[in-house]
């Protein structure tokens, strides 16, 4: 035991460690049952064309409504699902559910699904995605898979195979949370991304300003040259929308437009927008 902080400090540390561990164990056990118990559902957040206010994509975001713990955020249980391998079953279920909702949308509205690195490296990962699409009757060209830079930390052949195989099948890839990880330019160079999502930290809070605007502008310019679309994540205010639009970034996502909503509300948002009420286009 470290002497620093004394006995009380390390006791406190041990206690909070084991509480943390217990909560993780609990989550692991319950996560396996949660799908059967119908506690999980998929919500959808729109990604908006900043020039027209039209909905271009819905991103699927998993939600867990636990009977005792209340709503658990994916940031809390996705890491546990990854560590324990549950993510493979969970991920296939998420893709299948999301695809089933997306078949009811107009054909020009695409579906984005997040994938964790472990899910991608599991045997049969590509087949799992293709099977989910086929069962739902959703064309591969309507699916976009969001991956993060952490996927490329170690040069993994199974990752490259996965991306190449699904790209050949017509599925597109987006690089999520851009700017927060490592090896970004290397992975953009190496893999066929059609979209880059600039992390929320460049748009929101203390970071708004000349510096982050310049960064988004540079990424937007790179996107235009490489034929990739750029999404600004985390747009919460009209000022942020205007600032981001002025950088040349064409797509936006955030609470300003809508939070993630259940499938029936997603369908309603599309219907409203198609009836001539663009998503806050007056910004
Ligand atoms: P992400 O893929 O970057 O998703 C965007 C997150 O930002 C979502 O959080 C969304 O609700 C939140 N967000 C959107 N607009 C705003 C805004 O204007 N302000 C703020 N403060 N937040 C905003 P969520 O749903 O809690 O998900 C967190 C992360 O968990 C996701 O980040 C993704 O990495 C992971 N995740 C969520 N669903 C799934 C899934 O089905 N599979 C996997 N593998 N990961 C998922
Ligand atoms: Mg995402
Ligand atoms: Mg993101
Ligand atoms: Mg994220």
């Amino acid at each position: 035991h470290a002497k620093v902080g004394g006995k009380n400090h390390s006791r406190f540390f041990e206690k909070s460690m084991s509480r943390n561990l217990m909560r993780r164990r609990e989550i692991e056990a319950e996560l396996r049952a949660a799908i059967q118990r119908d506690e999980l559902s998929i919500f959808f957040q729109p990604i908006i064309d900043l020039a027209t206010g039209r909905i271009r994509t819905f991103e699927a975001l998993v939600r867990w409504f636990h009977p005792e713990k209340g709503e658990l955020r994916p940031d809390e249980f996705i890491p546990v699902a990854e560590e324990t391998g549950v993510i493979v079953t969970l991920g296939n279920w998420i893709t299948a559910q999301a695809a089933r909702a997306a078949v009811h949308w107009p054909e020009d509205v695409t579906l984005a699904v997040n994938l964790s690195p472990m899910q991608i490296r599991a045997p049969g990962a590509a087949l799992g995605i293709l099977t989910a699409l086929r069962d739902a009757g959703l064309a591969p060209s309507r699916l976009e898979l969001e991956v993060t830079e952490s996927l490329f930390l170690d040069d993994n052949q199974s990752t490259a195979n996965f991306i190449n195989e699904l790209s050949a099948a017509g599925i597109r890839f987006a690089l999520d949370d851009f700017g927060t990880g490592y090896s970004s330019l290397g992975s953009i160079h190496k893999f066929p991304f059609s979209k880059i999502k600039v992390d929320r930290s460049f748009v929101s809070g203390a970071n708004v300003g000349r510096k982050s605007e310049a960064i988004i502008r540079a990424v937007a310019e790179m996107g235009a040259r490489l034929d990739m679309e750029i999404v600004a994540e985390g747009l919460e205010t009209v000022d942020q929308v205007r600032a981001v639009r002025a950088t040349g970034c064409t797509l936006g996502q955030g609470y300003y437009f809508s939070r993630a909503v259940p499938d029936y509300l997603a369908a309603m948002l599309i219907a409203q927008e198609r009836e001539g009420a663009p998503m806050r286009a007056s910004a």
Side-chain angles (χ1 to χ4, degrees), residues 91-101 103 111 113 124-140 143 145 171:
N92 284 332
W93 180 83
I94 290 168
T95 308
Q97 289 291 112
R100 262 178 233 146
V103 285
L111 167 70
V113 173
L127 188 64
I129 304 276
L130 293 170
T131 305
L133 289 182
R134 202 197 47 218
D135 290 351
L138 191 74
L143 180 67
L145 296 173
I171 292 172

Side-chain angles (χ1 to χ4, degrees), residues 28-99:
E28 178 191 351
E30 294 184 9
L31 196 47
R32 292 184 191 274
I35 301 177
Q36 270 76 37
R37 289 193 200 132
D38 224 18
E39 292 170 13
L40 297 168
S41 62
I42 310 299
F43 276 36
F44 299 91
Q45 188 181 31
I47 298 174
I48 308 297
D49 184 325
L50 292 175
T52 61
R54 300 201 84 176
I55 297 172
R56 288 275 304 275
T57 303
F58 275 103
E59 178 176 6
L61 295 162
V62 65
R63 296 288 179 259
W64 183 1
F65 299 97
H66 191 283
E68 286 109 40
K69 297 189 180 77
E71 183 182 340
L72 296 168
R73 304 291 297 180
D75 284 332
E76 190 167 10
F77 63 87
I78 291 286
V80 181
E82 286 218 309
E83 282 163 30
T84 53
V86 181
I87 191 71
V88 177
T89 311
L90 179 61
N92 284 332
W93 180 83
I94 290 168
T95 308
Q97 289 291 112

